[in-house]
Every structure is written in structure tokens, then in C-alpha cells.
Amino acid sequence: MVHKVTMDTVKIITSSISGMTNEFWVRLLCYIMETDYTEALTPICISLTNLAENQIHGKDTEAGIAGKSKHVDLPAPQKLLARLLVLMSSPYKGEGRGIAMLNLLRTLSQSIAPSMADMWEQEIPLLVQYLEEHTEFTWNQKTWEDMLIQFLRNSLKKTRGTSWSLRLSKELNNQIETFDSPSLEKGFLYRALGFTLGMGLEADRVEVLLLELLYKTDYSNDFDREGVILCFGLCARGQVKTVLNVLQDFEERIQESEQSWQIGAWRKDHPWRRETVKSALMVMYSCVSSYCHPQMLLTHVDSPITSKIIHHYSSSCQDISLKMAFMKSVVQVTNAIKSIQDPEDFQFAHKSALTGLIVVIIKAEPPDHLVSPVRSMAMDALSQLSTMKPFYSPEESTELMDISIHTVISLQPPGEDNESVKTLYANTMSSLKQLMEGLLQRQLDPKGLQDTVHLLEKWILSEKEWEREKAMALHLHLMQIYVQSIGVCIPLKLGQFGVLVGLIAPCTCDAHRRTRLASINVLSSLLDLHVSQTCSLWGTSKEQELQKCKEDLQDTDMNKISSASSRVAKVVCPEFNCDEVVSLIQKLCENIGAMDLQHDRAAVTWIGIFLQMRVKELEDKVAEILGAILVHLPVVDHPEVRRHLIEGILLLAHYHQETVLTSLLRQPLPMESHLTEVWLAVAENVPFARTMLHGLLGRLQSRFTAKINATSKADIWRLAAVDPLMPFSLQTLCTIQLLMEKMDQDDKFPDLFPDLLYTFLLQLGSSHGPEAASPVLKTWRLVHTGPLPQEMTLQRITIKSMQLLVKRINREPLEQALEEQSVWSLLENGGTFLEGVSLMARLCMQNMENYMQRLAELVLTGMGSEILSCCISSTAICVEFMSDPVLHQEKLLRPVVLMLEKGAGQDKDETLQVLSLRALGNMALGAPRKVKQYRKLLLEKCLGSLQGQVSSSAMAEGMEALTKVLAELREGDIGSSFEAISKQCRAFFDNESELLRLKAFVLFGKLTKVVGISKKHFFKGEVKRGWVSLLLHCQDPCPSVAQACVATMFQCVHFWGWKSLESSFGHSNDSINEQMTVFQTNMCSVLAQKKPAVLCGFLLETTVFMKNNLSRIRIAACNLAGIIMKQLSAHYLKKMDLVGLRNSLQDLQLDSDAGVRRAALETLKVLDSCNQHWLLASPRGLP
């Protein structure tokens, strides 16, 4: 109260009383310059204004101070102006001191600076007007300070060419310590000082002032530090080189280096921290770049400005304050460069180094919580750097995005009660969006969009809801930017739309409401982009339905949310082409299991809806879709999700069976659990399972039928299953076995039994044949490292399938017979396979009469296959069928015979030839009345097997077939073939093969029954020519051959006309050898009497057999020779080559077989006896 009364009194006195002394004037001026009187400044300024006006107008003429001039005595004008300018920065303090000070300046304008007086007369009223129009509650600090600075600028322009501005700078500098920190006045003082120094003309004196300012600043005080930084920046507007020189000089003077730091020696009262000064220096350099002239900036921005910033940061301890100062500096520098209107393709040389340092800063931040604005500032700095040349490459942009996303999205959201952290959190998210947007703008094309979304994918699929929410929000922001920026200019790549939708579709069922809404908004943006680029007929009704779905997604009931998501799928499905459908399903399958069950349910629901709505159009894409489902099905754990995926597979199979079958059969063995589950689902639907079974059977059969050119896409996929390098047969058999095992047991497969049985036999045949299952094993090794399990071999699977088939038809007699006769074991062994086939066919004819017609048709088809194993197996079955009337009854005999003719006539495969001959021979058993009709063909093929270079097996089979056929023919039916058969048959009497000898003797015996009158003479000659062989082989080492020979020989005896000999064998209890000796003796006795010449010929033939490979034949030859010599007269013996005979017998004395040696010795004795007898009987031998 006292202060107020005093000030009011002073104002009254100075305005009303004249004759005031000079001392009072000076005292009031001193009050203005002293800090302690700031509260009384308003009345003091009013009083001084009154006094000055009185002096100027000559009111106090007695004082003689100012006389008639308009000048008054003042302290230094620069000091007074500096003081008043700084105080006017807070114009409403002290009851509105701003107006009072402005009026004082206007009054003293001629005394302070006459050159400024006119300008002040114009501008000061404007300043007063602003203050009068506002109050301390409505004014704007920055606007007012800008007006004061402009006032200062205009004032100093009037003093150009003088040292006025420099003296003003010095006064401002001197006043720094008179104001508290922080304060508005001191902040404006730094600003005014920097501006004033920048207008100074004497650089050396400016340097002194700047250096002094650097030394006296307390860098630990944030306000003073920032004030000095601003001062240097403003000074750089007109004195950039001076400022940079001062900074460099300051660094040198404080002896900064990497090893030492001695700033503390300069300030005893406020020792400087090394990092604090470095922080200030970095920002000073960047502030210099912000205020200096653009052309000067391009000269100095790389060096020294940016290089110094990098140096000070790199050589510091890099604490939080330094990091923030560094990034603030980077932002200021880049903003300064960007502000240049014509940078002339400026390339920021330090961009890469700055980026690397910032990335290190970001990576060093704690991943789970915010502790400072460092993240936000770092991303802001990167955003600014991204606009600088050289631009980041796509790879660099992607890496920066990835690092930034990782450091922000992983942060847990702040608590509701922590406002400071919430602010940090919001700023950080905003910085991330800005950075991502800036980087995306540099690669605004489909690839850039895809790469960006790919970075977000990990977080969109996160199990943590806050990560999903932030990722989806960022995705939405970027998607909107992309749509707004690119529109229809660059269409999305093929399949990209489906991938993008497939990623966010499951999130429409997210448990978090904001994530759901963001995902549906992303989907809307994608649809807008897609519709605009494809000119799709996206109508109002669809848009309205989509909007309703958005509203429903805000509900809390998960059933309603799931329903809304399904409706979204139905709305958008028609907008997809087939390629997009594939990419969508692939993406949905890929992400199953990444999040929770609700997301997985949404994914499979979308897959099901798209398949139901578009399945008919997807013929070309089925393999890709099925492949995607099958690849991911094994890792799906939840039964409900698995069931939906399997239902999708079955839906595809209903419409595209061949493609689905091929894809399923291409899966490796053993059959994985997910594949088993698919086939079990098939088995539950019996009609569909039978359809699939038909298809699987067709796949197996296609391997054995003639190759056809594909006429449809279904044919292409069907033929793909015949690839020999893939284990389709084994896979198909496993599948068929599984279906037969799991399908309804009441279904006996009446229409499939013959086809299945026959096809199984063909499969076994192929596994034993030349095209065996080695490709399967090779393919197995490509997929698995271990050996194929024993139960997974083709033979085991096929036989098990056949056993299941036989059991299913419920024919116990057949099942029992197969077990008793070990048919399964025979079939499994390659060496006995054909025997097992024959037994199987025979038992089926006996127990499965109803299926014989179909089996016969299948066999006929198989015999014409290009696959050798198929021909062989089919012919083996035909062998049994030919012994039964079934082929004749079904009118299939002729085509079968023609096929057998072809098989018997080829010489590429012995087994096929043998089986064909056997089957032809069996015609005599199954259709004996047809033998005569086909006699020419039968005789030709059978006889052909006895000629040329044919295997012994084929020869034997040919002779056996002739034996069967001849039983149904007469001599006249055989015709000229009789002679050939007889000759060929006799040629095998002495063959080394026991089998051929046996078949030859049996056939020759059959000829004895067929020969008639016309061929009797010829055949008698054949008997004579083969008689010695018959005699000798009666003692063949092979019992069956010997027995057959004996039987045939006695059938031939009647051709000699010796009825007495016909009953001389087999009617005694003697051994065979003894009986043969008796027979041969009787026979030779008869011949010696009736045809001695023939007997001599027999002796010569017998001599030849003494060199036979069989020891029993050599013995028999010796014995027969002895018998013949005993029966021949001396007359005929003398005509024989007895010397040669003796030599042969003597050679046999060296034979390895003791029996031969004994027989030869006995025969030699006979020969010696004969010689002795000749000597006694000859005339020379008489005494």
C-alpha cells in the first residue's frame, strides 16, 4: 500500500510540478536499470515520460538541462534500449509496463537514436495498439515477441554502417545475468541477442561476444543452454562463418579430445559435464543449419555441421539426453535442407552414417516398456532422413520398417492412470505411422505394399491382443494411404488381393473390438482398391450389407460376430477371380494355428464359404488348393478345424474327383494320420466312397491299359497318376484297403469284386515282373530316410487287400480253400506267383461262378495290354479258364484264342509263350469240341514251339499241348503236320533235358494212338529210327522219363508186327532192368531171325550211345550191344566194325562211373567170346 501511494505521488509530481532537478531524472533512470525495481517500472516509466516531455517542451527552463532542444541526458542509449526491450517481452507485468515503456521510448527516440525516431513514431503506436486491444489473458506471447523482434530489426536497419548494433549486442549480453532462469524476459533476451549479433558488421568483435557467451553459460541449466543455442542459431542467419569459427575455437580452447576433457577448469562455480556440453554443441550446430542462409547451408551442412554432430555423439557416453539431442539435431538439419527451394539435387553425404546411429539407438531401447521419448524422436529423425537424397533402397526401407515396428508394437499399452506414459505411447505410435507412411511413399507400388504388409504379418498373427490391435491399426493407416495415393494407377499383382484379404479375414472374429473394426476397415479399403482397378460391379446393396456386417462386428456376442464374419465372406467372394481364391485359401491355411481357436474357426469358415460358392469354377486350381490344405492339415490340432478342412477336401472331390485323387495319391507313404482321416471321412458316406473306390480302381487299372491321349482335364489328372516315378500303386492300394476296411460291412461289393480281384493280381504280377516296385522305393527314400516298413511293401498291401475282399464277400469255402492251399504264400513269392494265380483262378471258378463272365472279360482285356506283367498274369488266369467251359459259354473263346496265338508266336518273353501254349492246350479240356475248329492254329503254334531257337520250357509246353490236342483229333484232322510232329518229337528222345525227353516220349506215345492207315507206313519208319533210343531210355536215370519211355515203346511194338513181344513185358515180378534184358533178348532174337540187317543197324546206333552224357544210357548201350552181338550170327558180325566197337568199349574202361566200366567189361567179354567162336568155326582154325 505504501509502495502504491509512493508511486502515485511520483507520477503526480513529475506531471504537475515544474523545476525538477537533473538529479531526480537520473535517479529515476537508475531505477529502470536496476533489477530490484521491476515491480515499480510502470510508474517510473510514466514519470520519466512526463519529465522527458516537460524537458522537450521547455517547461522547466530554469533547469537548463535540455534547453530548447528535444534531447535529454540519458545513460548509454543502447543500455536503455536493451533494458526496455527485454522488459517489454512481458508487457502486462507491473500493471501494464509494456505500454508505459513504449511511450517512454517514443518520447526519448531523439535522444536514444535520432536515426530511428521517425520509424519509431510510426511503429510504436502499432505496438501500443496491440497491447491495448488485448489483456494478459488474450495476448499471444510468440506473436508479441515476433512484433518486438521486427521492431528491433527495423530499428537496427536505420543504424547500418555504424557500431550501434554491436554496442547493443554487448549491452544485451551484459544483462543476461540480471534475469532469472527460466523467465520470459531472459528467453527473449537470448533471442534479441542472437538477432542483434547477426546484424553486426565487425566479425571479430562478434566472435569475442559469442565466445564470451559460450564460456559464461551454465550448460547444466536447460533454459540457459537452450537460450544460447537459439542465440547462436539466430546469429548464424547473418554470421554463419563467424558462428562456426567460434564453435570450433571454443572446442579447441576447452581442449576437447577423445582422451581428455578439461572443461571443469573454466567454471569453478558451475563445473560442466562433458555430455552436457557435447549435447549443447550438437544442437548448436543443427540450430545453425536451421537459421543460416540456404546457399550457405549447402556449403556447410556436410562439414562441419553434420560431421561435428556425428563426432560429438559418437565420442560421448550416449545417455538419454545425448540421444535426444542427437536426434533433435538430425531433425533440424534435415528440415533445414528440406526448406531449400532449389537444392540442386543435393546429396546428403552423412545420411547413411546418421541412419546407422539411429538404428542402434532404436535397437537399444527396452522392448517391453517406454522410459523416454527416444523411440519417437528416433523414428521422427528417420522419417526426415527418408526424404533426403540419396533415397533408401527398397531393402533398406524394409529393414528400417521392420526394426521400427518391432520396437513399438511389442510395447505393452500403458495403464489408464499413467497419463505421462500414455502420452509417450501415443506419440510413439504416431511417429511409427509417420515413418511407415514416408517409407511406403518411396515405394508406392504393389510390391512395396506387399513387403510392408509382410512385415506387419507377424504382429497381426500375434497371440497378444495388444500387438494385434496396434499392427492392424497400422495396417489400416497404411492401406488408406496407399489407396488414396495410388488409386487405379498400378493394379495389384495376380493373387495379391487374395493374400492381403486372407491375412486379415480371420481377424474379423478377433476377441478385441478395435482389432475387428480395423480389420473390416482394411478389408473395405482393399475392396475399394480392387473394385476401382477391376471395374467390378460392386453395387449399393453389397456396400449396405458390408456396412451392416461392420455394425454387427461391434457386438460382444461371439456367435453374432462369427455370423457377421461369414456374411462378409459371402459378400466379397464374388469379387475374387480364381487365382485370387487360390491365394486367399493358401494364406488362410498358412495362418491356421498362428493365433487362437476363434481365428482358426473364422479361417476355415471362409475357406468353406469360398469353396461352396466357387467350387465349380476351380477346375484348374484344385491341385493348388488341395495342396495348401494337405500341407497344413497335419499341424492342425483342433478336431473342429480339421473337420472343416476335410469337408473342404470332400467338396472338391465331389466336383473334381480325378484331380483330388491324383493329389491325394501323390502324398508320401506311409499314409499320414491326416490322410487317413480324410479317407475315413470318405468311407462314412457309402455312395461317395463307392464312387471314390471306382476312381481308385480306375487308377490302378490305367497302368495296364493302352495309353490314350488326354481329351479332357480329368484325363490329364488321371494319366498323371500313372507316373512310374511316383508311388501311386502303393498309395492307391493303401487307400483302397483302408476304404474296404472302414466302409459299411453290409456292402459286399458285388459289382466291384471281379475288378478288384483281377486288378490286385495284376499289381502283384507287376511287383514280381520286370517293372517291379523299385521306383516306389526310390521315391520313398526321397521322402523318408528310413527303410520302407515291411508291412508297406506292395506285395503285403495287395495280399492284405485281397484277403479283405474275399472276407467281405462272405464265401467261407473260398476263404478256407485259399488258406489250406497256401495261395497267399504262393502269390507273395515271386517264384511261385504264377502257380498262386492259377490256384486262385481255379478256386474262383469253383466258388464264384457268378463273377466268371466279368473276370473273363477283364482277362481278355489284360492279355492285350502293353505291360508285360499284365499280359503274363492275365494269360496265367486264362490257362485255368481255358480248361473250363466258361470262355466258350460266354462266347469269348475266339478272341481269347487269337490273343493266345499272339502270345505263343512271340519270342520276347519265355513265360508268356509257355503260358500261351499251355492255355491253347487246355482248350482240349475246356472246349474239346472246338479243338477241331481251331486245329490249324493249334498245330501251327504248338509245332512252331518245337522249331527254331526256342527255350526248352516252350518246347516242353508245346509237346504237352500237342499231346492234349491230339487226343481230340484224328489222323485226317492233323494232315501234313503229322510227319513234322513225329520228326520233331523223335528229335527230343535223346535231349539232355529230362523234361523234353519226358514230353517227347508221352507225345510219341499219343501219336501211336492217332496214326491211321495213311500214315502207318511213315510212322513205322519213325518208330524204327527211334527204336534204339526207346530201348535205351527205358533205363533213363529219370524214373518218370523211363516209365514214359517204357509205355511208349510197348505202344510202338505192334508197328513191328511182333505180337509175341507185346505181352513179354510187365507180367513178372522181376526188376525193370531184368525185364528189359529179357525183352531186348527176345526182340534181338526175333530180329536176328527175320531182319538181321536191321539188328546190325541197331548195333551201330548203340555204339554211338556209348558216348552219351548219361551214365545209365552208356550202361544200357553196353548191355544192349552185348545182347545184339550174342544174337547176331558170325556172318553178320564179320561185317561189323568190331575193332571200332572194341576201341569204344576199351575207352569206357576209363569211365568215371564204375557201373559203366563193369558193363563195358561184360560187353568186351561177349565180344571176345564171339571172336573166339569165330576162330573155332573158321576153316583155318581146324587142326
Side-chain angles (χ1 to χ4, degrees), residues 214 289 409 490 503 505 643 945 963 979 988 1089 1137 1182:
L214 286 173
S289 69
I409 294 188
I490 308 176
L503 174 62
R643 179 175 57 80
S945 67
T963 302
E979 290 88 343
F988 293 108
Q1089 297 174 12
D1137 183 11
L1182 296 173

Side-chain angles (χ1 to χ4, degrees), residues 604-623:
V604 295
T605 299
W606 275 63
I607 291 173
I609 290 172
F610 270 72
L611 288 180
Q612 289 169 8
M613 295 180 67
R614 305 294 293 277
V615 65
K616 294 181 181 179
E617 308 168 37
L618 298 173
E619 182 178 4
D620 294 335
K621 307 298 179 181
V622 172

Side-chain angles (χ1 to χ4, degrees), residues 845-903:
M845 287 192 298
Q846 296 171 3
N847 298 277
M848 307 293 291
E849 298 85 357
N850 297 336
Y851 300 110
M852 288 302 100
Q853 178 183 358
R854 178 57 183 162
L855 277 173
E857 294 172 353
L858 291 170
V859 167
L860 177 60
T861 303
M863 291 172 66
S865 173
E866 296 178 359
I867 307 299
L868 180 59
S869 63
C870 176
C871 292
I872 293 174
S873 300
S874 300
T875 306
I877 300 173
C878 184
V879 169
E880 297 301 321
F881 283 5
M882 287 292 286
S883 64
D884 189 87
V886 59
L887 294 177
H888 173 53
Q889 293 171 359
E890 301 299 338
K891 300 182 180 180
L892 295 175
L893 184 61
R894 179 173 177 78
V896 167
V897 169
L898 294 178
M899 287 293 180
L900 293 173
E901 178 188 14
K902 182 179 178 181

